[in-house]
């Protein structure tokens, strides 16, 4: 069989490749400690799963779900955002439910790019950002993000011929995999740049809440105004978070932002997220979505609404849990001589590889899992500028994380 050429750049996928390596390690008898995938091991809160369970006995939830049937969820998303950032959102024209934020980042290029157009992407960056551009027939200009620049792109380095053919820029902070936070001043610069060059600005925002309290100095402008409950909702219990793109683009002139319930609410397997943004961009993405799917089961959206509008104490607990794991893992690595920076956000540790693997992260991760059962994600899987790094996901208990580091020490020695 002959397949479409658009599949060629999709052949290398960091998660698929590591999944095969993990399977081989298990087949060889290794007890796996999987730190390769950022899927929270924490449970969704009871009030979330209860809302989903209660929906099952209601036959009116069992059919196809069209856009108008998602209004309650869209209102919950808009209210959640308004409480968090103090910026009004129209649930009818500025919110779109998604089957995870990855659906949004993968489908947005289909709504924006013509074949041959450029998209400006972070390098390293999340793989689905590139995948969506390839499926749309677009070209990618990677914006290197380096430690010496606080893992922020340098817009002045983008060649003018590339800018002339560019239609969109994709940002994502707090950043996966580097864990960096972008200050509000950077977002203001990005919005101005995109307005000047007529670019759509896409901001993927899954780690809005996973910011640690010792990173306060890195998130200037990220404390929201004090607001009360809206329509009986509980205001968020945490005040520290990363800035939203709409704090820089308050009239929603060029931007769209993608949210997920996978991280803050431990609902990764339920596949629920949403977009907030410029009404024209929301309409365009909705047109693409209508050609691909309806929506997820209404019971899942009922659970998502309960998450957004209900008690937020489990979000605080999750953040504290990941912070404790971060500290345990970083201290354990440093104790074996592997100096790594303390992540200010996310559920990851982004570590520069020691010799002799400094230029072959795939080989390091493959040999590590084969020898010890500890699985991590090679930095090269996130882009050229990710080579020389490895990403560890903090999705195990502190005790297991310490055991993983002991195995890593044996491997390094």
């Amino acid at each position: 069989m002959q397949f479409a050429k658009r599949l060629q750049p999709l052949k290398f996928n960091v998660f698929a490749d590591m999944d095969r390596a993990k399977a081989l390690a298990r087949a060889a008898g290794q007890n796996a400690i999987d730190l390769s995938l950022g899927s929270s091991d924490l449970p969704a809160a009871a009030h979330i799963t209860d809302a989903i369970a209660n929906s099952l006995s209601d036959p009116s939830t069992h059919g196809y779900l069209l856009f108008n049937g998602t209004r309650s969820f869209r209102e919950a998303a808009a209210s959640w955002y308004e409480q968090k950032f103090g910026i009004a959102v129209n649930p009818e024209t500025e919110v779109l439910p998604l089957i995870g934020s990855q659906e949004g980042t993968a489908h947005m290029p289909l709504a924006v790019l013509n074949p041959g157009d450029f998209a400006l992407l972070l390098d390293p960056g999340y793989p689905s950002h590139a995948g969506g551009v390839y499926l749309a027939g677009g070209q990618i200009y990677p914006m290197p993000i380096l430690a010496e620049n606080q893992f922020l792109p340098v817009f002045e380095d983008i060649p003018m011929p590339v800018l002339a053919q560019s239609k969109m820029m994709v940002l994502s902070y707090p950043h996966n995999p580097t864990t960096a936070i972008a200050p509000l001043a950077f977002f203001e610069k990005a919005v101005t740049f995109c307005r000047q060059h007529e670019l759509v600005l896409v901001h993927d925002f899954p780690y809005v809440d996973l910011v640690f309290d010792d990173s306060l100095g890195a998130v200037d402008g990220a404390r929201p105004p004090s607001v009360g409950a809206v329509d009986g909702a509980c205001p968020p219990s945490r005040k520290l978070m990363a800035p939203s793109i709409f704090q820089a683009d308050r009239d929603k002139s060029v931007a769209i932002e993608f949210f997920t319930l996978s991280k803050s609410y431990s609902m990764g397997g339920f596949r629920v997220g949403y977009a907030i943004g410029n009404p024209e961009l929301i309409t365009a993405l909705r047109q693409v979505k209508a050609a691909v799917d309806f929506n997820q089961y209404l019971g899942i959206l009922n659970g998502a609404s309960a998450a957004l509008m209900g008690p937020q104490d489990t979000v605080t607990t999750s953040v504290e849990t990941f912070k404790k794991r971060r500290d345990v893992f970083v201290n354990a690595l440093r104790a074996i001589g592997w100096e790594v920076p303390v992540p200010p956000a996310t559920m990851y540790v982004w570590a520069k590889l020691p010799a002799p693997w400094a230029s072959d992260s795939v080989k390091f991760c493959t040999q590590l899992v084969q020898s010890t059962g500890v699985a991590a994600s090679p930095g090269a899987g996130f882009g050229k500028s990710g080579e020389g790094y490895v990403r560890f996901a903090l999705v195990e208990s502190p005790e297991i994380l310490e055991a993983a580091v002991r195995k890593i020490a044996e491997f390094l020695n």
Side-chain angles (χ1 to χ4, degrees):
M1 295 182 183
Q2 293 186 355
F3 295 97
K5 293 179 181 179
R6 68 176 62 90
L7 293 183
Q8 292 301 316
L10 304 180
K11 285 187 174 181
F12 180 56
N13 180 288
V14 62
F15 301 121
D17 290 350
M18 283 309 301
D19 197 46
R20 285 189 288 271
K22 288 182 288 186
L24 291 173
R26 290 189 184 99
Q30 290 287 356
N31 293 319
I33 300 178
D34 191 355
L35 309 182
S36 67
L37 191 62
S39 179
S40 176
D41 60 313
L42 304 177
H47 67 276
I48 298 173
T49 54
D50 286 348
I52 297 172
N54 292 336
S55 301
L56 292 172
S57 59
D58 179 1
S60 70
T61 69
H62 296 176
Y64 289 129
L65 183 62
L66 301 181
F67 179 78
N68 286 333
T70 68
R71 182 172 180 81
S72 293
F73 172 71
R74 287 183 278 116
E75 290 175 341
S79 178
W80 176 92
Y81 184 89
E82 290 172 16
Q83 292 176 61
K84 217 166 186 70
F85 294 102
I87 297 171
V89 173
N90 186 330
E92 197 63 32
T93 62
E94 296 179 339
V95 182
L96 183 68
L98 298 170
I99 304 175
S101 62
Q102 185 165 323
E103 181 200 352
T105 57
H107 285 165
M108 197 70 225
L110 292 171
V112 173
L113 301 179
N114 289 314
D117 288 341
F118 271 97
L120 310 175
L121 305 187
L122 299 178
D123 174 22
Y126 191 65
S128 78
H129 298 169
V133 175
Y134 288 132
L135 290 176
Q139 301 184 73
I140 291 173
Y141 179 80
M143 299 184 293
I145 54 174
L146 308 175
E148 54 262 38
N149 297 322
Q150 292 74 52
F151 295 110
L152 300 174
V154 179
F155 299 143
E156 294 78 9
D157 290 345
I158 304 170
M160 288 306 299
V162 171
L163 273 176
Q165 298 180 66
S166 298
K167 294 291 182 63
M168 66 185 292
M169 175 190 290
V170 181
L171 302 175
S172 183
Y173 292 96
H175 185 248
N176 176 12
T178 69
T179 79
I181 301 172
L184 183 56
F186 168 79
F187 280 148
E188 291 169 344
K189 182 177 180 180
V191 168
T192 298
F193 184 85
C194 288
R195 285 173 178 160
Q196 289 174 343
H197 297 283
E198 298 182 343
L199 303 174
V200 170
L201 179 50
V202 176
H203 184 228
D204 194 13
F205 203 16
Y207 300 99
V208 53
D209 290 303
L210 284 181
V211 177
F212 305 118
D213 55 18
D214 50 13
S215 61
L216 178 59
V219 285
D220 61 310
R223 282 190 180 274
S226 296
V227 292
V230 178
D231 294 331
C234 297
S237 55
R238 298 190 77 245
K239 291 185 177 180
L240 179 63
M241 60 204 159
S244 163
I245 199 65
F246 299 116
Q247 291 174 280
D249 183 21
R250 286 185 171 266
D251 58 357
K252 305 183 185 74
S253 62
V254 295
I256 187 168
E257 195 160 58
F258 295 117
F259 298 84
T260 178
L261 280 79
S262 297
K263 311 303 181 184
S264 299
Y265 300 98
S266 302
M267 294 181 68
F270 294 97
R271 307 311 305 135
V272 56
Y274 54 96
I276 290 177
N278 173 282
E280 291 180 277
L281 293 176
I282 292 291
T283 297
L285 183 57
R286 181 181 167 188
Q287 289 172 330
V288 173
K289 182 178 176 64
V292 177
D293 64 67
F294 290 107
N295 291 282
Q296 54 276 82
Y297 169 54
L298 179 57
I300 291 176
L301 291 187
N302 290 340
S305 296
L308 295 173
M309 302 301 289
Q312 301 296 301
D313 54 313
T314 56
V315 178
T316 302
T317 301
S318 293
V319 175
E320 291 171 350
T321 297
F322 283 113
K323 182 184 177 184
K324 180 179 179 181
R325 293 176 179 184
R326 177 203 68 174
D327 293 343
V328 166
F329 193 70
V330 167
N331 288 336
L333 286 177
R334 289 177 173 179
I336 66 170
W338 191 345
E339 288 297 322
V340 298
V342 178
T346 77
M347 56 173 64
Y348 308 111
V349 170
W350 184 239
K352 202 163 191 177
L353 282 166
W357 296 279
S359 60
D360 197 343
S361 56
V362 174
K363 184 177 181 180
F364 171 84
C365 289
T366 301
Q367 292 190 358
L368 177 67
V369 73
Q370 289 175 348
S371 300
T372 69
V374 176
S377 291
F382 298 94
K384 182 179 178 181
S385 296
E387 184 56 278
Y389 288 85
V390 61
R391 191 197 75 177
F392 296 101
L394 304 172
V395 293
E396 295 285 359
S397 69
E399 295 75 19
I400 294 179
L401 291 174
E402 288 178 323
V405 174
R406 289 194 293 270
K407 289 176 176 286
I408 291 170
E410 294 172 3
F411 176 76
L412 293 176
N413 292 330

